[in-house]
mmCIF file of all heavy atoms in Angstrom:
data_model
loop_
_atom_site.group_PDB
_atom_site.id
_atom_site.type_symbol
_atom_site.label_atom_id
_atom_site.label_comp_id
_atom_site.label_asym_id
_atom_site.label_seq_id
_atom_site.Cartn_x
_atom_site.Cartn_y
_atom_site.Cartn_z
ATOM 1 N N VAL U 54 -7.516 3.415 -4.432
ATOM 2 C CA VAL U 54 -8.392 3.609 -3.274
ATOM 3 C C VAL U 54 -8.283 5.057 -2.792
ATOM 4 O O VAL U 54 -7.275 5.721 -2.908
ATOM 5 C CB VAL U 54 -7.999 2.647 -2.093
ATOM 6 C CG1 VAL U 54 -8.326 1.216 -2.414
ATOM 7 C CG2 VAL U 54 -6.545 2.861 -1.710
ATOM 8 N N GLN U 55 -9.405 5.578 -2.300
ATOM 9 C CA GLN U 55 -9.426 6.892 -1.705
ATOM 10 C C GLN U 55 -9.134 6.796 -0.229
ATOM 11 O O GLN U 55 -9.648 5.843 0.402
ATOM 12 C CB GLN U 55 -10.789 7.543 -1.935
ATOM 13 C CG GLN U 55 -10.929 8.975 -1.465
ATOM 14 C CD GLN U 55 -11.356 9.102 0.007
ATOM 15 O OE1 GLN U 55 -11.987 8.177 0.525
ATOM 16 N NE2 GLN U 55 -11.013 10.188 0.633
ATOM 17 N N ILE U 56 -8.349 7.633 0.340
ATOM 18 C CA ILE U 56 -8.076 7.632 1.736
ATOM 19 C C ILE U 56 -8.106 9.033 2.295
ATOM 20 O O ILE U 56 -7.606 10.015 1.722
ATOM 21 C CB ILE U 56 -6.691 6.941 2.046
ATOM 22 C CG1 ILE U 56 -6.552 6.729 3.537
ATOM 23 C CG2 ILE U 56 -5.553 7.789 1.505
ATOM 24 C CD1 ILE U 56 -5.375 5.828 3.895
ATOM 25 N N ASP U 57 -8.729 9.135 3.476
ATOM 26 C CA ASP U 57 -8.735 10.375 4.231
ATOM 27 C C ASP U 57 -8.103 10.072 5.558
ATOM 28 O O ASP U 57 -8.645 9.401 6.416
ATOM 29 C CB ASP U 57 -10.180 10.824 4.444
ATOM 30 C CG ASP U 57 -10.261 12.127 5.335
ATOM 31 O OD1 ASP U 57 -9.224 12.650 5.732
ATOM 32 O OD2 ASP U 57 -11.396 12.561 5.634
ATOM 33 N N LEU U 58 -6.829 10.524 5.740
ATOM 34 C CA LEU U 58 -6.083 10.170 6.889
ATOM 35 C C LEU U 58 -6.622 10.768 8.194
ATOM 36 O O LEU U 58 -6.252 10.353 9.275
ATOM 37 C CB LEU U 58 -4.609 10.634 6.765
ATOM 38 C CG LEU U 58 -3.764 9.798 5.780
ATOM 39 C CD1 LEU U 58 -2.397 10.360 5.639
ATOM 40 C CD2 LEU U 58 -3.704 8.319 6.193
ATOM 41 N N THR U 59 -7.566 11.725 8.072
ATOM 42 C CA THR U 59 -8.211 12.246 9.274
ATOM 43 C C THR U 59 -9.421 11.471 9.648
ATOM 44 O O THR U 59 -10.055 11.765 10.690
ATOM 45 C CB THR U 59 -8.615 13.716 9.022
ATOM 46 O OG1 THR U 59 -9.680 13.769 8.060
ATOM 47 C CG2 THR U 59 -7.451 14.531 8.620
ATOM 48 N N SER U 60 -9.810 10.463 8.889
ATOM 49 C CA SER U 60 -10.981 9.650 9.147
ATOM 50 C C SER U 60 -10.557 8.203 9.505
ATOM 51 O O SER U 60 -10.021 7.478 8.610
ATOM 52 C CB SER U 60 -11.895 9.649 7.954
ATOM 53 O OG SER U 60 -12.889 8.616 8.053
ATOM 54 N N LEU U 61 -10.867 7.769 10.727
ATOM 55 C CA LEU U 61 -10.566 6.379 11.077
ATOM 56 C C LEU U 61 -11.381 5.409 10.241
ATOM 57 O O LEU U 61 -10.913 4.366 9.869
ATOM 58 C CB LEU U 61 -10.877 6.225 12.609
ATOM 59 C CG LEU U 61 -10.634 4.780 13.127
ATOM 60 C CD1 LEU U 61 -9.227 4.361 12.962
ATOM 61 C CD2 LEU U 61 -11.057 4.682 14.627
ATOM 62 N N GLY U 62 -12.610 5.779 9.899
ATOM 63 C CA GLY U 62 -13.461 4.929 9.078
ATOM 64 C C GLY U 62 -12.858 4.675 7.707
ATOM 65 O O GLY U 62 -12.916 3.554 7.217
ATOM 66 N N SER U 63 -12.257 5.701 7.126
ATOM 67 C CA SER U 63 -11.603 5.592 5.803
ATOM 68 C C SER U 63 -10.453 4.591 5.925
ATOM 69 O O SER U 63 -10.264 3.741 5.020
ATOM 70 C CB SER U 63 -11.119 6.966 5.324
ATOM 71 O OG SER U 63 -10.434 6.880 4.105
ATOM 72 N N ILE U 64 -9.655 4.765 6.945
ATOM 73 C CA ILE U 64 -8.513 3.851 7.135
ATOM 74 C C ILE U 64 -8.985 2.417 7.348
ATOM 75 O O ILE U 64 -8.411 1.481 6.802
ATOM 76 C CB ILE U 64 -7.649 4.366 8.321
ATOM 77 C CG1 ILE U 64 -7.016 5.667 7.994
ATOM 78 C CG2 ILE U 64 -6.598 3.310 8.697
ATOM 79 C CD1 ILE U 64 -6.378 6.351 9.182
ATOM 80 N N GLN U 65 -9.972 2.218 8.129
ATOM 81 C CA GLN U 65 -10.463 0.887 8.448
ATOM 82 C C GLN U 65 -11.107 0.191 7.225
ATOM 83 O O GLN U 65 -10.989 -0.997 7.083
ATOM 84 C CB GLN U 65 -11.513 0.981 9.570
ATOM 85 C CG GLN U 65 -10.921 1.309 10.945
ATOM 86 C CD GLN U 65 -11.907 1.479 12.025
ATOM 87 O OE1 GLN U 65 -13.070 1.903 11.789
ATOM 88 N NE2 GLN U 65 -11.548 1.158 13.265
ATOM 89 N N ARG U 66 -11.713 0.977 6.344
ATOM 90 C CA ARG U 66 -12.250 0.378 5.135
ATOM 91 C C ARG U 66 -11.176 -0.238 4.250
ATOM 92 O O ARG U 66 -11.331 -1.327 3.737
ATOM 93 C CB ARG U 66 -13.041 1.462 4.319
ATOM 94 C CG ARG U 66 -14.390 1.752 4.866
ATOM 95 C CD ARG U 66 -15.226 2.564 3.878
ATOM 96 N NE ARG U 66 -14.711 3.898 3.705
ATOM 97 C CZ ARG U 66 -15.082 4.921 4.469
ATOM 98 N NH1 ARG U 66 -15.909 4.728 5.493
ATOM 99 N NH2 ARG U 66 -14.558 6.138 4.278
ATOM 100 N N ILE U 67 -10.036 0.482 4.147
ATOM 101 C CA ILE U 67 -8.948 -0.075 3.379
ATOM 102 C C ILE U 67 -8.388 -1.333 4.080
ATOM 103 O O ILE U 67 -8.048 -2.317 3.396
ATOM 104 C CB ILE U 67 -7.821 1.008 3.215
ATOM 105 C CG1 ILE U 67 -8.312 2.105 2.327
ATOM 106 C CG2 ILE U 67 -6.563 0.385 2.643
ATOM 107 C CD1 ILE U 67 -7.374 3.291 2.134
ATOM 108 N N ALA U 68 -8.214 -1.264 5.364
ATOM 109 C CA ALA U 68 -7.726 -2.438 6.127
ATOM 110 C C ALA U 68 -8.632 -3.644 5.931
ATOM 111 O O ALA U 68 -8.127 -4.754 5.776
ATOM 112 C CB ALA U 68 -7.597 -2.088 7.607
ATOM 113 N N LYS U 69 -9.912 -3.411 5.898
ATOM 114 C CA LYS U 69 -10.829 -4.557 5.756
ATOM 115 C C LYS U 69 -10.728 -5.167 4.355
ATOM 116 O O LYS U 69 -10.788 -6.405 4.220
ATOM 117 C CB LYS U 69 -12.301 -4.054 5.976
ATOM 118 C CG LYS U 69 -12.601 -3.783 7.434
ATOM 119 C CD LYS U 69 -14.045 -3.277 7.604
ATOM 120 C CE LYS U 69 -14.343 -2.996 9.064
ATOM 121 N NZ LYS U 69 -15.747 -2.419 9.219
ATOM 122 N N VAL U 70 -10.521 -4.341 3.329
ATOM 123 C CA VAL U 70 -10.374 -4.873 1.977
ATOM 124 C C VAL U 70 -9.085 -5.715 1.852
ATOM 125 O O VAL U 70 -9.079 -6.817 1.315
ATOM 126 C CB VAL U 70 -10.284 -3.650 0.971
ATOM 127 C CG1 VAL U 70 -9.917 -4.195 -0.405
ATOM 128 C CG2 VAL U 70 -11.681 -3.022 0.860
ATOM 129 N N ILE U 71 -7.997 -5.213 2.459
ATOM 130 C CA ILE U 71 -6.737 -5.990 2.401
ATOM 131 C C ILE U 71 -6.864 -7.254 3.135
ATOM 132 O O ILE U 71 -6.423 -8.312 2.667
ATOM 133 C CB ILE U 71 -5.589 -5.101 2.996
ATOM 134 C CG1 ILE U 71 -5.361 -3.876 2.102
ATOM 135 C CG2 ILE U 71 -4.321 -5.940 3.114
ATOM 136 C CD1 ILE U 71 -4.340 -2.883 2.628
ATOM 137 N N GLN U 72 -7.471 -7.239 4.292
ATOM 138 C CA GLN U 72 -7.648 -8.431 5.093
ATOM 139 C C GLN U 72 -8.533 -9.482 4.423
ATOM 140 O O GLN U 72 -8.243 -10.640 4.387
ATOM 141 C CB GLN U 72 -8.170 -8.097 6.487
ATOM 142 C CG GLN U 72 -8.293 -9.304 7.377
ATOM 143 C CD GLN U 72 -8.691 -8.934 8.807
ATOM 144 O OE1 GLN U 72 -9.476 -7.960 8.970
ATOM 145 N NE2 GLN U 72 -8.187 -9.595 9.849
ATOM 146 N N ARG U 73 -9.636 -8.996 3.813
ATOM 147 C CA ARG U 73 -10.577 -9.861 3.191
ATOM 148 C C ARG U 73 -9.992 -10.527 1.926
ATOM 149 O O ARG U 73 -10.126 -11.741 1.720
ATOM 150 C CB ARG U 73 -11.814 -9.042 2.782
ATOM 151 C CG ARG U 73 -12.927 -9.895 2.114
ATOM 152 C CD ARG U 73 -13.942 -8.933 1.528
ATOM 153 N NE ARG U 73 -13.414 -8.182 0.410
ATOM 154 C CZ ARG U 73 -13.913 -7.004 0.047
ATOM 155 N NH1 ARG U 73 -14.909 -6.432 0.715
ATOM 156 N NH2 ARG U 73 -13.339 -6.366 -1.005
ATOM 157 N N ASP U 74 -9.276 -9.724 1.087
ATOM 158 C CA ASP U 74 -8.857 -10.255 -0.198
ATOM 159 C C ASP U 74 -7.448 -10.758 -0.247
ATOM 160 O O ASP U 74 -7.065 -11.562 -1.081
ATOM 161 C CB ASP U 74 -8.978 -9.104 -1.246
ATOM 162 C CG ASP U 74 -10.407 -8.653 -1.447
ATOM 163 O OD1 ASP U 74 -11.352 -9.468 -1.079
ATOM 164 O OD2 ASP U 74 -10.662 -7.594 -1.954
ATOM 165 N N TYR U 75 -6.563 -10.261 0.710
ATOM 166 C CA TYR U 75 -5.147 -10.639 0.632
ATOM 167 C C TYR U 75 -4.604 -11.181 1.928
ATOM 168 O O TYR U 75 -3.422 -11.558 2.023
ATOM 169 C CB TYR U 75 -4.394 -9.466 0.150
ATOM 170 C CG TYR U 75 -4.789 -8.975 -1.223
ATOM 171 C CD1 TYR U 75 -5.726 -7.939 -1.367
ATOM 172 C CD2 TYR U 75 -4.355 -9.633 -2.411
ATOM 173 C CE1 TYR U 75 -6.124 -7.506 -2.617
ATOM 174 C CE2 TYR U 75 -4.790 -9.188 -3.613
ATOM 175 C CZ TYR U 75 -5.679 -8.157 -3.752
ATOM 176 O OH TYR U 75 -6.146 -7.760 -4.962
ATOM 177 N N LYS U 76 -5.338 -11.092 3.051
ATOM 178 C CA LYS U 76 -4.983 -11.672 4.305
ATOM 179 C C LYS U 76 -3.867 -10.907 5.000
ATOM 180 O O LYS U 76 -3.929 -10.682 6.217
ATOM 181 C CB LYS U 76 -4.559 -13.123 4.206
ATOM 182 C CG LYS U 76 -5.579 -14.010 3.501
ATOM 183 C CD LYS U 76 -6.957 -13.960 4.117
ATOM 184 C CE LYS U 76 -7.934 -14.882 3.421
ATOM 185 N NZ LYS U 76 -9.308 -14.704 3.964
ATOM 186 N N GLU U 77 -2.876 -10.471 4.313
ATOM 187 C CA GLU U 77 -1.776 -9.744 5.003
ATOM 188 C C GLU U 77 -1.176 -8.667 4.083
ATOM 189 O O GLU U 77 -1.423 -8.695 2.855
ATOM 190 C CB GLU U 77 -0.632 -10.702 5.403
ATOM 191 C CG GLU U 77 0.028 -11.434 4.325
ATOM 192 C CD GLU U 77 1.113 -12.374 4.826
ATOM 193 O OE1 GLU U 77 1.219 -12.568 6.068
ATOM 194 O OE2 GLU U 77 1.874 -12.932 3.997
ATOM 195 N N LEU U 78 -0.384 -7.823 4.618
ATOM 196 C CA LEU U 78 0.222 -6.688 3.939
ATOM 197 C C LEU U 78 1.763 -6.877 3.976
ATOM 198 O O LEU U 78 2.347 -7.078 5.063
ATOM 199 C CB LEU U 78 -0.165 -5.378 4.620
ATOM 200 C CG LEU U 78 0.346 -4.090 4.020
ATOM 201 C CD1 LEU U 78 -0.271 -3.837 2.708
ATOM 202 C CD2 LEU U 78 0.036 -2.886 4.951
#
Side-chain angles (χ1 to χ4, degrees):
V54 291
Q55 184 273 336
I56 189 168
D57 177 2
L58 287 176
T59 66
S60 167
L61 180 58
S63 176
I64 293 170
Q65 289 176 332
R66 281 192 292 274
I67 293 177
K69 287 179 180 177
V70 170
I71 295 174
Q72 185 175 34
R73 182 192 67 205
D74 297 341
Y75 300 96
K76 307 303 180 187
E77 64 180 7
L78 182 67

